[in-house]
Amino acid sequence: MYKILENTKIAKDVYKMLLEGDTSKLTKPGQFINIQLEGRFLRRPISVCDYDENTITIIYKVVGEGTEQMSQMKAGEELDVLCGLGNGYALKNTEKPLLIGGGVGVPPLYNLAEKLVENGKKPTVILGFNTADEIFLEEEFKALGCKVIVATADGSYGVKGFVTDAMKGVEYDYFYTCGPMPMFRAIESAVKTSGQYSFEERMGCGFGACMGCSCKTKYGYKRICKDGPVLEREEIVW
């Protein structure tokens, strides 16, 4: 059981929740937790934005009844949480890492950026949103020392267009990304280096037992919840 310390709205339909509890199973950026909600059959998988010795920060968007229920929860309430799920990002020895996030694919990149900065790297971070009122974490990435470029589909802030428009002219030798599949397909057509994709997928159990989130790779079928959610570019079948 994890105690809610904070649950606040930070952008349009987007909330940040701070949970207190055991974080010993979190070992890599890009892992996720699976939350049980009262009255809901399936748990809700949410990427970990950040964590320390006894707290976990998640950022989620209200897109259905489950996340709407989460948004109404108050500090002091408790949640049943499976923690430390998924493989997470593998840190590569590269000099110019590029991080690309779209919407609620942005949060797991924050802890990744922290780890890269701790290892002496200065990442470039591209954040993609639909409109200006959906933007979050821009200032937090800047505070880490990252170069941040924001793209909005409607042009209301930053670069007008998509993350691939913001990538033009950016120097990088490796990339990490998280976001929706249409964004991934556009990135795959634009990138010139190796990289890692963190997939968003509907899950049954969240720890590899039900096989409900299996996907085909060049090396056989993998479970997004257990063998992923992060896959290397070279193994993905598009």
Side-chain angles (χ1 to χ4, degrees):
M1 300 300 293
Y2 288 71
K3 185 179 184 180
I4 299 174
L5 301 180
E6 175 188 339
N7 191 26
T8 55
K9 189 174 183 179
I10 60 171
K12 181 183 177 183
D13 299 325
V14 177
Y15 290 77
K16 179 176 76 172
M17 182 181 284
L18 183 64
L19 297 168
E20 181 181 51
D22 182 13
T23 64
S24 61
K25 300 299 183 182
L26 292 169
T27 59
K28 287 184 177 181
Q31 290 181 288
F32 67 95
I33 63 175
N34 219 5
I35 301 174
Q36 179 69 59
L37 297 173
E38 186 177 353
R40 309 291 172 184
F41 180 67
L42 293 179
R43 291 176 180 261
R44 265 57 183 179
I46 307 288
S47 297
V48 172
C49 176
D50 200 10
Y51 66 95
D52 58 24
E53 290 80 5
N54 55 17
T55 65
I56 299 170
T57 301
I58 60 172
I59 293 177
Y60 63 95
K61 184 174 184 178
V62 175
V63 294
E65 293 181 357
T67 44
E68 172 65 30
Q69 184 175 336
M70 285 177 59
S71 73
Q72 301 301 315
M73 300 190 76
K74 308 297 183 184
E77 294 185 58
E78 291 190 333
L79 282 172
D80 182 330
V81 175
L82 297 178
C83 186
L85 304 178
N87 60 351
Y89 290 106
L91 298 186
K92 300 293 184 176
N93 186 25
T94 59
E95 294 304 314
K96 297 178 181 179
L98 173 63
L99 280 55
I100 312 165
V104 286
V106 168
L109 298 178
Y110 180 76
N111 186 239
L112 173 62
E114 284 185 311
K115 301 299 185 188
L116 289 169
V117 170
E118 287 173 6
N119 282 276
K121 312 302 180 185
K122 187 176 180 180
T124 297
V125 181
I126 296 176
L127 308 176
F129 301 95
N130 290 316
T131 61
D133 58 1
E134 295 181 358
I135 296 170
F136 59 89
L137 289 186
E138 178 188 8
E139 297 305 318
E140 288 82 350
F141 278 109
K142 287 181 178 178
L144 292 177
C146 302
K147 178 183 177 181
V148 181
I149 306 170
V150 179
T152 52
D154 67 353
S156 54
Y157 186 92
V159 176
K160 182 176 182 179
F162 304 107
V163 293
T164 45
D165 296 301
M167 288 171 60
K168 294 173 182 176
V170 174
E171 293 186 8
Y172 62 97
D173 57 6
Y174 196 83
F175 71 91
Y176 303 86
T177 185
C178 184
M181 186 60 74
M183 187 187 87
F184 280 179
R185 294 188 185 280
I187 289 172
E188 181 63 18
S189 298
V191 289
K192 309 298 182 184
T193 70
S194 294
Q196 296 173 42
Y197 291 84
S198 181
F199 285 83
E200 300 172 345
E201 185 67 53
R202 290 186 178 274
M203 299 176 185
C205 67
F207 47 84
C210 73
M211 308 299 289
C213 61
S214 296
C215 70
K216 186 178 181 180
T217 75
K218 294 178 182 177
Y219 310 112
Y221 281 89
K222 290 192 173 184
R223 298 158 295 179
I224 292 298
C225 69
K226 181 74 173 179
D227 308 310
V230 179
L231 299 178
E232 298 273 356
R233 181 188 184 193
E234 288 76 13
E235 65 182 308
I236 298 169
V237 176
W238 296 100

